[in-house]
């Protein structure tokens, strides 16, 4: 498990990697990049056509005062800033930032561990499903492929993801940003697919970013669920990413209330839960004026060991 202390931060999250910035720029966006030993990128929006807003998502923050100085030097002195650190950062209260949302957790697989160690870390039921589906793969009842994500807006996985978003009422990346990531970063968007005969029954798309990699989107059919195809996909993708020198695989947020089955799947794969830093808002003109209010929220922004 990765230590989330400032002196042992994990590799930069996808949202802070140059690969992601290149994809944003290809889509016509202009993220603001703060220079430093660990550069930070911010997205900028205008609300109600008049209110500027900056957002720092999954950034590693070694020092809250240094961050404040960098934001002001970058011309954001009068801009409200939403800060969502990649690690617990209660020290943001010291500069007057106010907590809005308590920390969530992400599921991560440590790919530095030997394959035998990672297999031993699988939950027993997860390991049993893997054994069964792996035997079907060896018997040629299933076929697993790996390829670069095709630059095709009509690709079946993107269409299935769009339908799922409409059905479940959530929003994720637009397909144009996914395709831009694949186009701007050749070889960094890897699609793993399981076939039964000629038919794709499940797929997972992973985005590579330096020493890190992230699960992006996936889909499975009824036949894919019956075959435990996602178990097969995640295991083989993790092994391939480890062989390519990646340190960690980010499986995304854990939501045990709304998606308990998905949370069990991620943790059953040997992933560990790592706390993020919640969401804060800071408006530079107020400086430390809101520190008394921020102090009331410190308990909200601390996570249990």
């Amino acid at each position: 498990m990765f230590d989330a202390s400032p002196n042992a931060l994990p590799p930069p999250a996808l949202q802070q990697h140059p690969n992601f910035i290149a994809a944003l720029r290809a889509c016509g966006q202009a993220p603001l990049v703060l220079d430093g030993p660990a550069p930070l990128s911010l997205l900028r929006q205008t609300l109600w056509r008049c209110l500027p807003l900056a957002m720092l998502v999954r950034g590693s923050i070694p020092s809250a005062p240094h961050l404040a100085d960098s934001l002001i030097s970058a011309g954001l002195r009068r801009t409200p800033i939403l800060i969502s650190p990649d690690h617990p950062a209660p020290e943001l209260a010291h500069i007057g930032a106010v907590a809005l949302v308590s920390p969530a957790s992400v599921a991560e697989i440590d790919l530095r561990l030997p394959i035998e160690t990672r297999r031993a870390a699988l939950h027993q039921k997860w390991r049993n499903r893997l054994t069964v589906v792996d035997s079907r793969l060896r018997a040629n009842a299933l076929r697993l492929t790996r390829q670069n994500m095709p630059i095709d807006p009509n690709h079946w996985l993107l269409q299935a993801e769009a339908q799922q978003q409409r059905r479940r009422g959530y929003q994720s990346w637009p397909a144009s940003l996914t395709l831009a990531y694949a186009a701007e970063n050749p070889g960094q968007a890897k699609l793993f697919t399981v076939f039964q005969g000629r038919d794709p029954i499940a797929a997972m798309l992973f985005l590579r970013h330096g020493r890190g990699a992230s699960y992006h989107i996936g889909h499975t059919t009824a036949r894919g669920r019956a075959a435990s195809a996602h178990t097969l996909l995640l295991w083989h993708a993790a092994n391939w990413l480890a062989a390519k020198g990646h340190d960690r695989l980010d499986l995304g947020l854990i939501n045990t209330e709304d998606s308990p089955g998905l949370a069990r799947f991620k943790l059953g794969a040997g992933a560990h839960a790592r706390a993020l830093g919640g969401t804060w808002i800071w408006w530079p003109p107020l400086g430390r004026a809101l520190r008394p209010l921020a102090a009331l929220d410190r308990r909200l922004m601390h996570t249990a060991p």
Side-chain angles (χ1 to χ4, degrees):
M1 184 173 181
F2 289 93
D3 186 347
S5 66
N7 293 327
L9 295 176
L14 170 64
Q15 295 88 339
Q16 290 297 323
H17 195 272
N19 288 0
F20 182 64
I21 296 171
L24 287 174
R25 287 174 173 161
C27 291
Q29 298 192 40
L32 174 64
V33 180
L34 305 181
D35 293 330
L40 295 173
S41 67
L42 295 92
L43 298 175
R44 290 178 287 187
Q45 293 185 350
T46 301
L47 303 181
W48 306 296
R49 299 184 180 181
C50 62
L51 178 64
L53 178 70
M55 296 174 290
L56 174 58
V57 181
R58 295 287 300 270
S60 295
I61 302 172
S63 165
H66 176 74
L67 174 65
D69 292 341
S70 298
L71 292 171
I72 291 174
S73 298
L76 299 177
R77 179 180 296 275
R78 299 190 179 280
T79 302
I81 304 164
L82 288 176
I83 305 172
S84 300
D86 194 49
H87 53 87
E91 64 274 12
L92 286 170
H94 299 162
I95 63 171
V98 177
L100 297 179
V101 181
S102 58
S105 295
V106 290
E108 294 178 341
I109 297 177
D110 188 346
L111 299 178
R112 299 168 299 182
L113 300 174
I115 187 172
E116 297 82 4
T117 304
R118 286 190 285 110
R119 190 177 186 103
L122 301 177
H123 187 278
Q124 184 62 53
K125 291 184 178 179
W126 214 100
R127 190 184 305 114
N128 291 344
R129 288 196 300 269
L130 177 61
T131 300
V132 171
V133 71
D134 240 346
S135 66
R136 296 192 65 191
L137 182 66
R138 290 194 297 271
N140 295 321
L142 300 173
R143 180 167 56 93
L144 189 150
T145 65
R146 183 191 71 248
Q147 65 180 125
N148 292 333
M149 180 66 194
I151 313 300
D152 177 10
N154 296 314
H155 190 276
W156 74 268
L157 177 59
L158 298 179
Q159 296 297 313
E161 171 66 14
Q163 292 175 9
Q164 181 169 278
Q165 288 186 32
R166 289 192 295 269
R167 186 172 64 253
R168 297 184 180 179
Y170 71 92
Q171 288 187 331
S172 184
W173 287 23
S176 58
L177 183 55
T178 298
L179 294 174
Y181 193 98
E184 295 296 314
N185 307 289
Q188 302 302 295
K190 287 295 182 181
L191 176 65
F192 292 76
T193 308
V194 171
F195 289 83
Q196 195 170 55
R198 295 184 177 181
D199 301 326
I201 61 172
M204 282 184 167
L205 177 62
F206 296 85
L207 304 182
R208 305 167 64 192
H209 43 97
R211 292 188 295 119
S214 297
Y215 164 77
H216 183 43
I217 56 175
H219 182 74
T220 184
T221 64
R223 282 192 291 169
R225 284 188 292 272
S228 298
H230 267 185
T231 301
L232 185 72
L233 286 166
L234 181 52
W235 176 250
H236 282 271
N239 291 340
W240 184 84
L241 291 166
K244 290 298 180 180
H246 294 282
D247 286 353
R248 72 165 180 175
L249 173 56
D250 185 337
L251 299 181
L253 296 176
I254 298 174
N255 188 334
T256 56
E257 294 184 2
D258 298 329
S259 303
L262 182 57
R264 285 194 298 270
F265 177 79
K266 293 176 180 180
L267 297 176
H272 294 281
R274 181 174 68 82
L276 301 179
T279 300
W280 304 71
I281 188 166
W282 183 55
W283 193 26
L286 293 181
R288 300 184 180 184
L290 296 182
R291 281 190 66 180
L293 179 60
L296 296 177
D297 290 330
R298 286 179 184 173
R299 185 173 300 177
L300 173 71
M301 304 310 283
H302 279 76
T303 55

